[in-house]
Amino acid sequence: MIIGIGSDLIDITRIAKVIERHGDRFLDRVFTEAERAKAERRAKKAELVAATYAKRFAAKEACSKALGTGIRQGVWWRDMGVVNMPGGRPTMELTGGAKARLDALTPPGMTARIDLSITDEWPLAQAFVVISAVPAAVTGSRATPS
């Protein structure tokens, strides 16, 4: 059962300009340590770093829309982080207010699964999030960790 859908499209150059202007202040406010580490591994080319951050920014926006809150009502940027499954598939890991909102949306006896698609084609980055409730006993699904 789908309990939320969200999408976002962002100009990569916009994120690059914000990073140039505000640097670590912006990065610390919006991105998790894991997201920053992934972006920094791509630091050899500035446009790859900006695209990496832009995709994750779009993912957070899309996830907040799927949660039905946007970035408010206790859901903050760092409460949502893009992580990769062992096979490489991206998903969202929620904490704090985002996790509380997800728990409130998930029906009893069900587990939340967050499917994420992210892509970029200069100068745009896009993310699409689908939050589903699946029976708690289903294997192979990923519930966001507590």
Side-chain angles (χ1 to χ4, degrees), residues 80-146:
M80 301 170 285
V82 176
V83 296
N84 294 90
M85 302 288 286
R89 181 173 64 96
T91 188
M92 301 294 295
E93 183 172 33
L94 305 185
T95 60
K99 177 74 167 106
R101 175 67 178 164
L102 179 65
D103 291 345
L105 291 173
T106 306
M110 305 290 264
T111 300
R113 175 185 164 131
I114 301 176
D115 290 299
L116 168 64
S117 177
I118 53 177
T119 190
D120 67 282
E121 182 65 40
W122 191 268
L124 301 173
Q126 181 179 31
F128 190 79
V129 170
V130 177
I131 301 175
S132 304
V134 296
V138 171
T139 59
S141 67
R142 172 172 171 123
T144 53
S146 299

Side-chain angles (χ1 to χ4, degrees), residues 8-57:
D8 193 63
L9 180 68
I10 189 165
D11 185 337
I12 296 168
T13 59
R14 176 179 161 220
I15 294 297
K17 288 175 186 175
V18 172
I19 293 169
E20 184 178 313
R21 185 177 199 189
H22 298 286
D24 284 336
R25 195 170 122 218
F26 168 71
L27 297 174
D28 288 341
R29 180 175 179 222
V30 175
F31 299 99
T32 66
E33 289 181 28
E35 290 171 316
R36 290 194 65 183
K38 179 146 188 139
E40 295 310 314
R41 286 193 298 269
R42 296 176 168 216
K44 294 175 185 166
K45 293 187 176 181
E47 64 271 5
L48 288 179
V49 172
T52 298
Y53 280 125
K55 286 186 284 190
R56 280 146 185 78
F57 189 91

